[in-house]
Amino acid sequence: KIALVMKDYDINKSGAERYLAGIVSEMAKEGVSVDLIAARFKGRIPDGVVKRPVKALMKSSILKPITFNWAVQRLLKKLHYDIVYGLTQIYPQDVYRAGGGVEHSWYKIKYPRWWMRIINYIRPRIAVRLYMENQIFKSSNFRMIITNSLFCKYQILANYKILPENITVIYNGVDKTRF
């Protein structure tokens, strides 16, 4: 039994949302027992997939990641899953898919001077995002990390003490019937 976790399930979006919609659909076709955990759902969920909504403060950029994580963890304590597969910032989880890079790396690019980073790191929104990322990449909070590129993998290795063998690169597939 697998739990797939994402803040938003939206079949009309691209990126991680599109990836999630694809794997949910394929897992359902294969008869895998899947629960989809999200705060918001847009679009049809495949037959056989269980929709598990959680409540979080989705309007607040500061509280959204924290309240979503708390809500997911409360739900996970009530239910048993063989694998918790996160496609968003939650912890702990079994498998984390890091598809958009690492916050620490992006802030180093955005704020090249160390003093600029310090000033921005204390901004509540950024502080929360960095806190969540730091928690996710603690070795006790994951079993495997999946990235969609070597670039992402190298960002994680450069910023966190993670063994390279704990990160697997799986490139995004192409739906040949659609493209």
Side-chain angles (χ1 to χ4, degrees), residues 21-86:
I23 63 171
V24 166
S25 179
E26 290 303 313
M27 287 181 172
K29 284 180 195 171
E30 294 296 321
V32 176
S33 178
V34 176
D35 284 11
L36 183 57
I37 301 171
R40 295 185 285 220
F41 294 86
K42 291 182 183 172
R44 185 182 172 282
I45 294 173
D47 294 335
V49 174
V50 177
K51 176 181 170 181
R52 301 265 185 206
V54 295
K55 291 188 179 188
L57 298 173
M58 298 304 282
K59 299 275 185 202
S60 168
S61 65
I62 297 167
L63 296 176
K64 179 175 26 178
I66 294 171
T67 59
F68 181 75
N69 187 59
W70 287 341
V72 169
Q73 295 313 319
R74 276 194 308 274
L75 178 65
L76 293 176
K77 285 179 184 174
K78 295 177 190 174
L79 305 169
H80 170 74
Y81 294 99
D82 297 309
I83 298 172
V84 175
Y85 185 163

Side-chain angles (χ1 to χ4, degrees), residues 1 12-13 16 19 21 25 29 37 54 73 80-81 85 91-92 99 121 138 151 155 164:
K1 189 171 182 181
N12 297 313
K13 286 188 174 181
Y19 173 82
S25 179
K29 284 180 195 171
I37 301 171
V54 295
Q73 295 313 319
H80 170 74
Y81 294 99
Y85 185 163
Y91 68 91
Y121 283 1
K138 282 185 177 178
F151 178 74
Q155 279 190 340

Side-chain angles (χ1 to χ4, degrees), residues 109-133:
I109 293 167
K110 189 172 182 178
Y111 308 111
R113 293 187 170 79
W114 65 268
W115 57 269
M116 291 173 68
R117 282 194 299 278
I118 291 173
I119 290 169
N120 282 283
Y121 283 1
I122 61 174
R123 290 176 46 208
R125 187 178 137 280
I126 292 175
V128 165
R129 293 175 69 102
L130 291 172
Y131 170 80
M132 293 296 292
E133 183 175 276

Side-chain angles (χ1 to χ4, degrees), residues 139-152:
S139 62
S140 59
N141 284 332
F142 70 89
R143 289 193 307 183
M144 177 59 66
I145 297 168
I146 296 172
T147 68
N148 60 358
S149 69
L150 284 172
F151 178 74
C152 237

